Amino acid sequence: MLTLCAIVATAPFAVVLALLAWANRRERRHREVLARQIALTDSVHERLGAVAAPVVRRRGRRWQVCIAVPFERPFVVEALLAIAREMFAPRDGDRRSLEIVLTRQPTRPATPAAARRGIRKESLSWT
């Protein structure tokens, strides 16, 4: 009976400690993803200028880098791939630890039609 009471009394503390450990691990992984994305973006901007803004994700044990690239300029695409491979150099020779996803950059500015017509001088007043 005493053992059962001890288990019941310590179970909530064990659950809380397990949840805190899980949240700590998740936060640490999130910070690692952000640090890698910032480092990759800084490296791209340092070498090529502001040609792309990569997005880094963690998929289990695999890193995923998504980059919108200008396919019309193959030398930029090659340079971006080289930078991404360099920043995520595989440890212990595992080539499957990195996935690079290339998408087409929009060729026109992504502005709404209303912005192209100009800003109107009207405003709402709530007073």
Side-chain angles (χ1 to χ4, degrees):
M1 185 69 179
L2 187 60
T3 307
L4 182 63
C5 288
I7 291 173
V8 170
T10 59
F13 295 111
V15 169
V16 169
L17 288 176
L19 288 174
L20 286 173
W22 174 76
N24 187 23
R25 181 174 180 259
R26 186 170 179 205
E27 181 67 26
R28 189 173 54 245
R29 287 174 59 98
H30 180 69
R31 286 183 185 168
E32 183 183 12
V33 167
L34 287 179
R36 290 257 186 150
Q37 181 169 338
I38 290 169
L40 180 60
T41 303
D42 287 347
S43 182
V44 167
H45 288 202
E46 178 183 310
R47 295 180 191 181
L48 303 174
V51 296
V55 176
V56 176
R57 295 185 183 110
R58 186 79 187 245
R59 301 284 185 215
R61 294 181 182 214
R62 172 180 281 174
W63 289 100
Q64 183 183 49
V65 178
C66 300
I67 308 173
V69 296
F71 286 117
E72 304 81 32
R73 300 171 28 194
F75 64 92
V76 173
V77 176
E78 291 174 12
L80 287 169
L81 286 172
I83 293 169
R85 283 191 209 117
E86 178 185 312
M87 294 296 295
F88 290 89
R91 297 180 191 132
D92 64 20
D94 185 16
R95 297 258 183 235
R96 296 173 298 169
S97 63
L98 175 63
E99 177 184 358
I100 300 175
V101 179
L102 301 177
T103 57
R104 180 173 300 280
Q105 265 184 356
T107 55
R108 59 181 177 82
T111 58
R116 279 185 257 138
R117 284 182 270 155
I119 299 173
R120 298 174 69 181
K121 302 239 179 197
E122 300 174 8
S123 67
L124 294 175
S125 176
W126 299 101
T127 57

